[in-house]
Amino acid sequence: DATIRLLAREWLNQEGLAVEEVDDGAHVPAAFERLRPDIVLMDIMMPRVDGYTACASLRKLPGGEQLPILMMTGLDDLESINRSYQAGATDFTPKPINWLILGHRIRYILRANRAFDELRASQARLANAQRIARLANWQWDVAEDKLVWSEEIFDILGLRPEEFGENHEAFLRRVHPEDVKLVEKAFRKALRGESNLNIDHRVVKPDNTERYVSVQAEVSRDETGRAIQMAGTVQDITQRKQAEEQIVYLAYHDTLTGLPNRRLFKDRLTHTLAHAGRHGHLVATLFLDLDRFKRINDTLGHSLGDLLLQEVAKRLVGCVRKSDSVGRPSVDDFTTDVARLGGDEFTVLLTDIREIQDAAKVARRILAVLLEPFYLDHQEIFVTASIGITVYPSDGEDAENLLKNGEAAMYHAKDQGKNNYQFYNDSMNAASLKRLALENRLRKALERREFLLYYQPQLDIATEEIIGAEALIRWQHPEMGLVFPGEFIGLAEETGLITDIGEWVLTSACLQNKAWQAAGLKRIRLAVNLSSRQFQQKELIEMISRVLAKSGLDPRCLELELTESIVMPNAEEAVSTLQQLKAMGVRISLDDFGTGYSSLSYLKRFPLDTLKIDRSFMRDIASDPDSTAITKAIIAMGHSLNLRVIAEGVETEHQLAFLREQGCDEAQGYFFSPPLPADDFRPFIEVHRQPKALIGIQAKAV
Ligand code: C2E
Ligand code: MG
Ligand code: MG
């Protein structure tokens, strides 16, 4: 009605409300879309489409569901009031309209609606947050045993709402059978008021998968203290639990082989020892270290090294497990546990052995299975191990000591030539302590300038003139005195210190030779020994040319001594490295020749200058016809390959005479001089001295 609309506009404008008009129910939906009003005031009577229909159509529009709609009905017209509510009206206002009151009414409805909107929004936020957190909330009416859930629970439990009962029992049915007691107890305690409910437990979904949930709740009580209601949350914490389990697994296992790691092994050992102590049982540990594993790693690469460790782990497990692959129980009636301590170190724990020899039996079996070649990446790889055995209680009271002593016994097995096992005894500990002390000292020896070079002359046999010298390292140890390379080069190799020590040797030797030349002394070539690890070093060529450049020494005055055991295992690569060295002008000598592989075909391919006959042949020349024959053959072979031949370890006139007779080119040994400090060596190359006279100089020091 146009008049009513006019009045409404007047009054409501005075209330500070903006008013838009529509003259027929038919225009309502379009006007709603366009205007998006906060409230609709609507007459029931309209020309074409009435108020009920317009109201119902508004409710169906998106955004129209919550819109406050106020209908104008006739006073006392119950019929139209009812129909209005049915059509979705929020409220009604009877005609004739009291405009003053209507204004207040609208303001009130708008305010209530705003509060309602905010509540809805915050509920939506809460529901969203709970969904993200996989968190459901619940309320349990204790007396009525009625349980109300938020929707999220159905997702957590994998159920449809209708599948889920509405009482406490319905929830307990979903709890993992093993956890039911725990859950019931926690509820009882909470109801009695002893503690709040706060437990983690498992639930089982209909597809039989398990989830972990965390349940927390508080109890409300009446005046008498009786529990009337419990309200709480259930959160799915499966992912967190899995992460926790994964972390625990990783903390106790070796990722490469999946075996228990040092930590778990020690835990188990400690546990086993406690048990064995109470029952007077014997326990043995096998401490196993692969022989020359570093070499495999360095030459074949780390990924193949890793593969090898995995295969070794499999063989170890296979050879000590309780029953063999056909399911027959093994002959052993004790239990075994294999672990990887790190690197190439493994341990085997033998629980409740009857006699000490049981441990030896297992050790022999392990050594035997490792002897079979490994086929990895189309290569045949051989590996052996050294094993140290300790027995509880005689070799140690606790895990720590058993492991420590096992390691000492393992080192003893290495010293015994590797590929064997040794039982621990007390003297081994002293040896391994000494070794450790030596290693610590060795680490500091370079910076403390404790290394020295000694020089041993090499003479031309025909002219008996000095033509070169071999630089030999010495370690001036503050307590042990002068230490020979045999005692620390191996250790330097194992620890990797050889790289720095080797560079120091090369630098010192080159600088020394250059200094002698600069002082106008006889020009000689200086031989420097290279160790295996140095030779495999990628930067070797670069390091040598850097040192040569720095010292300004003519490369032809430098000779590198390599043994067969260094070049043969990786002959192809060695050929290429040696060629690069040759190209630089450096000389190459094959040291300790005759003791190693002596593969003639390779010898031809190596770009060598000198063959150096091992000193063991010199020693035996007088007594052993074989040594004589071999020495002759080496000299002949060397000459046929156009190499110079030098004999080392020449100590007597007789040996020298023999060499001269066989046409050997050069000689080195105590007969001429022991290795000497630089100052003592100097007279050998002072040009005015007669070489022959030098022979008279007796050893001052070795
Ligand atoms: P090598 O290269 O075969 O050196 C010869 C060894 O024989 C030296 O022992 C030398 O003192 C010894 N010798 C010399 N003349 C005689 C003799 O007439 N009779 C006997 N019985 N022995 C003699 P040294 O100095 O103890 O060196 C031992 C080994 O240590 C060397 O064997 C070499 O392999 C290694 N070495 C020495 N210096 C270095 C170095 O700077 N770097 C590396 N990587 N290894 C080195
Ligand atoms: Mg040498
Ligand atoms: Mg030698």
Side-chain angles (χ1 to χ4, degrees):
D1 179 293
T3 328
I4 291 188
R5 274 190 272 134
L6 190 68
L7 282 170
R9 175 187 286 276
E10 285 288 307
W11 279 98
L12 295 179
N13 278 350
Q14 276 177 36
E15 286 286 328
L17 297 165
V19 178
E20 298 287 346
E21 293 172 44
V22 173
D23 58 5
D24 183 19
H27 303 140
V28 164
F32 173 75
E33 295 291 357
R34 181 163 40 88
L35 301 168
R36 289 278 160 184
D38 293 317
I39 184 167
V40 173
L41 183 59
M42 184 149 62
D43 208 333
I44 290 173
M45 242 68 90
M46 285 189 279
R48 278 182 298 165
V49 172
D50 68 14
Y52 307 125
T53 316
C55 179
S57 66
L58 266 184
R59 282 286 179 249
K60 286 195 197 97
L61 292 176
E65 310 91 343
Q66 314 292 348
L67 178 72
I69 303 174
L70 196 56
M71 305 291 273
M72 297 184 214
T73 61
L75 191 60
D76 301 336
D77 181 358
L78 220 56
E79 161 75 15
S80 54
I81 292 172
N82 275 336
R83 281 191 67 189
S84 295
Y85 277 127
Q86 273 160 20
T90 311
D91 208 349
F92 67 93
T93 180
K95 287 197 277 199
I97 285 167
N98 179 331
W99 293 108
L100 196 65
I101 287 177
L102 182 69
H104 286 292
R105 184 89 180 269
I106 287 178
R107 287 212 160 281
Y108 172 77
I109 291 177
L110 285 177
R111 204 175 64 204
N113 203 51
R114 245 190 324 270
F116 192 55
D117 272 349
E118 274 160 22
L119 180 65
R120 253 199 326 266
S122 108
Q123 270 178 346
R125 277 198 303 274
L126 183 65
N128 209 24
Q130 293 191 353
R131 187 181 50 75
I132 291 166
R134 300 196 48 78
L135 180 82
N137 62 58
W138 52 272
Q139 264 183 43
W140 180 37
D141 182 328
V142 181
E144 301 281 320
D145 188 16
K146 185 152 172 52
L147 191 57
V148 186
W149 288 100
S150 73
E151 263 178 36
E152 188 61 28
I153 192 69
F154 305 116
D155 201 32
I156 293 175
L157 296 179
L159 293 170
R160 286 193 300 275
E162 60 274 19
E163 288 173 320
F164 193 53
E166 291 180 340
N167 54 23
H168 186 55
E169 177 59 29
F171 171 67
L172 283 182
R173 267 204 300 279
R174 303 296 157 199
V175 176
H176 192 287
E178 286 170 18
D179 293 349
V180 170
K181 279 218 170 67
L182 178 90
V183 173
E184 282 182 324
K185 190 167 149 209
F187 269 88
R188 273 200 305 275
K189 275 175 90 172
L191 289 173
R192 282 202 300 267
E194 289 167 23
S195 65
N196 278 334
L197 187 72
N198 186 352
I199 45 162
D200 293 354
H201 65 85
R202 288 163 295 174
V203 292
V204 183
K205 290 172 75 162
D207 61 5
N208 273 327
T209 55
E210 289 177 15
R211 309 291 297 177
Y212 267 99
V213 295
S214 171
V215 179
Q216 301 191 19
E218 281 179 9
V219 180
S220 21
R221 302 173 185 281
D222 64 11
E223 317 77 57
T224 68
R226 204 163 49 102
I228 45 172
Q229 198 195 51
M230 238 174 151
T233 55
V234 174
Q235 186 171 21
D236 186 329
I237 55 165
T238 311
Q239 271 182 357
R240 197 185 75 201
K241 274 277 178 199
Q242 281 165 348
E244 267 172 30
E245 281 166 11
Q246 176 78 0
I247 289 166
V248 171
Y249 181 85
L250 289 178
Y252 283 100
H253 289 83
D254 161 43
T255 30
L256 183 67
T257 61
L259 289 177
N261 63 9
R262 179 185 291 269
R263 207 154 130 197
L264 183 53
F265 180 78
K266 268 176 117 169
D267 279 5
R268 283 189 185 165
L269 183 55
T270 304
H271 185 81
T272 305
L273 294 183
H275 185 267
R278 281 197 298 277
H279 298 85
H281 290 168
L282 284 180
V283 175
T285 64
L286 274 53
F287 194 109
L288 179 151
D289 187 287
L290 298 182
D291 298 328
R292 301 185 189 89
F293 179 71
K294 274 204 183 68
R295 176 93 142 255
I296 293 175
N297 234 359
D298 289 348
T299 49
L300 301 177
H302 285 257
S303 55
L304 216 63
D306 282 354
L307 263 182
L308 181 64
L309 288 174
Q310 288 171 337
E311 292 305 311
V312 167
K314 274 190 213 151
R315 284 201 194 172
L316 287 180
V317 171
C319 109
V320 303
R321 84 185 138 201
K322 240 198 136 72
S323 54
D324 62 24
S325 54
V326 207
R328 287 182 305 229
S330 78
V331 281
D332 307 330
D333 48 10
F334 43 85
T335 41
T336 51
D337 243 322
V338 180
R340 177 173 175 228
L341 296 194
D344 58 343
E345 287 175 357
F346 295 87
T347 48
V348 181
L349 170 62
L350 307 178
T351 310
D352 296 342
I353 53 171
R354 267 174 299 111
E355 46 177 8
I356 292 175
Q357 282 311 314
D358 283 342
K361 218 164 65 188
V362 174
R364 277 196 296 274
R365 213 152 68 205
I366 291 174
L367 293 176
V369 296
L370 292 181
L371 279 185
E372 294 286 310
F374 290 84
Y375 296 95
L376 300 174
D377 196 20
H378 311 295
Q379 301 191 54
E380 195 177 38
I381 297 172
F382 291 91
V383 69
T384 58
S386 301
I387 302 177
I389 305 176
T390 47
V391 179
Y392 170 87
S394 54
D395 299 338
E397 297 276 308
D398 54 22
E400 194 75 42
N401 276 305
L402 284 170
L403 279 180
K404 194 187 81 199
N405 293 342
E407 187 174 4
M410 178 276 289
Y411 275 121
H412 186 62
K414 295 237 178 213
D415 289 342
Q416 294 302 301
K418 309 190 167 77
N419 191 24
N420 73 108
Y421 64 89
Q422 296 288 328
F423 279 97
Y424 171 74
N425 70 48
D426 285 336
S427 64
M428 291 173 185
N429 232 333
S432 74
L433 274 180
K434 191 176 151 207
R435 182 191 165 85
L436 195 70
L438 199 68
E439 181 181 329
N440 285 338
R441 246 356 272 215
L442 190 60
R443 288 187 187 283
K444 307 206 178 86
L446 255 188
E447 62 186 68
R448 292 187 181 165
R449 301 169 179 274
E450 290 172 352
F451 291 119
L452 303 168
L453 282 189
Y454 272 41
Y455 300 89
Q456 186 176 34
Q458 299 174 328
L459 285 88
D460 183 307
I461 292 180
T463 62
E464 289 195 18
E465 271 189 43
I466 179 163
I467 45 167
E470 178 173 10
L472 294 156
I473 192 169
R474 301 288 180 264
W475 179 12
Q476 185 65 57
H477 192 287
E479 287 133 35
M480 294 164 64
L482 200 64
V483 185
F484 284 76
E487 292 197 49
F488 63 88
I489 289 291
L491 197 58
E493 275 260 294
E494 275 172 47
T495 49
L497 294 165
I498 193 68
T499 317
D500 290 342
I501 297 177
E503 181 163 347
W504 177 86
V505 169
L506 191 75
T507 312
S508 309
C510 290
L511 286 172
Q512 180 64 77
N513 202 8
K514 181 72 189 175
W516 281 329
Q517 289 177 5
L521 305 185
K522 184 175 160 80
R523 187 179 154 105
I524 56 167
R525 57 156 211 255
L526 206 52
V528 170
N529 294 282
L530 285 192
S531 78
S532 143
R533 187 130 170 197
Q534 266 178 292
F535 188 67
Q536 280 157 13
Q537 213 185 318
K538 282 194 201 64
E539 305 83 28
L540 178 76
I541 303 290
E542 195 246 299
M543 187 271 280
I544 292 177
S545 50
R546 173 158 34 90
V547 169
L548 279 171
K550 191 168 126 191
S551 64
L553 183 72
D554 180 349
R556 287 171 299 180
C557 293
L558 175 65
E559 185 164 68
L560 297 175
E561 291 196 6
L562 295 153
T563 62
E564 287 169 281
S565 60
I566 297 174
V567 285
M568 286 311 292
N570 229 340
E572 292 300 331
E573 250 174 74
V575 169
S576 126
T577 309
L578 292 177
Q579 276 164 351
Q580 293 179 62
L581 288 169
K582 277 305 297 181
M584 284 162 59
V586 174
R587 296 171 59 93
I588 316 272
S589 166
L590 200 56
D591 203 353
D592 301 347
F593 188 75
T595 55
Y597 301 74
S598 308
S599 157
L600 201 63
S601 59
Y602 267 113
L603 214 52
K604 271 195 271 183
R605 295 189 47 206
F606 289 137
L608 302 172
D609 298 282
T610 312
L611 272 192
K612 200 167 181 186
I613 309 174
D614 190 67
R615 61 178 179 276
S616 60
F617 299 114
M618 280 312 109
R619 197 182 52 215
D620 300 335
I621 259 176
S623 55
D624 176 15
D626 281 352
S627 292
T628 320
I630 292 171
T631 307
K632 277 188 193 171
I634 292 176
I635 295 170
M637 185 176 84
H639 285 160
S640 76
L641 291 171
N642 270 333
L643 302 176
R644 283 182 78 76
V645 181
I646 179 168
E648 65 178 352
V650 179
E651 294 181 358
T652 65
E653 179 94 64
H654 171 255
Q655 288 165 344
L656 182 63
F658 171 79
L659 293 168
R660 185 178 288 125
E661 198 180 305
Q662 295 305 320
C664 185
D665 305 285
E666 297 167 19
Q668 171 187 348
Y670 295 165
F671 180 65
F672 306 105
S673 166
L676 296 169
D679 288 345
D680 296 337
F681 175 82
R682 194 182 154 107
F684 281 87
I685 44 176
E686 283 173 348
V687 186
H688 60 276
R689 305 281 301 252
Q690 286 302 308
K692 287 245 176 173
L694 299 178
I695 297 166
I697 298 181
Q698 273 314 306
K700 277 193 194 164
V702 178

